[in-house]
Amino acid sequence: MQVYKISDLLSSLNSASEEGFEYVSLNIIEADDDDPELDYDSLFLDYVDDKSSSEEDIVDSVPLPDDYYRLV
């Protein structure tokens, strides 16, 4: 299971929404075992202009801190 910061996702989605995008295609880019720079999976967001055009963004997954707990 990969973990993504909600604020990172919202930032990308809000920015795209402000630019007028209404649709997004989501894909996972898996980590590359041969490249230490790519330790974590990434979420590939493909904002759709029309059937033949789009703009892209990538949000990287993050390690959940060992001591993390949600404040209630």
Side-chain angles (χ1 to χ4, degrees):
M1 174 182 78
Q2 296 303 317
V3 176
Y4 298 87
K5 285 189 76 174
I6 292 173
S7 60
D8 292 346
L9 293 171
L10 286 175
S11 175
S12 179
L13 292 168
N14 284 331
S15 178
S17 179
E18 289 172 1
E19 293 179 24
F21 291 97
E22 295 180 12
Y23 298 95
V24 62
S25 172
L26 304 174
N27 293 292
I28 300 291
I29 301 171
E30 294 185 10
D32 184 350
D33 294 334
D34 297 329
D35 188 347
E37 294 289 321
L38 301 174
D39 275 351
Y40 299 99
D41 289 354
S42 297
L43 185 60
F44 180 81
L45 299 98
D46 195 17
Y47 296 107
V48 180
D49 280 326
D50 57 41
K51 290 185 178 183
S52 63
S53 175
S54 64
E55 287 190 27
E56 304 161 350
D57 195 8
I58 295 176
V59 176
D60 295 327
S61 63
V62 296
L64 192 61
D66 293 335
D67 61 347
Y68 177 78
Y69 63 93
R70 184 176 65 93
L71 298 176
V72 180

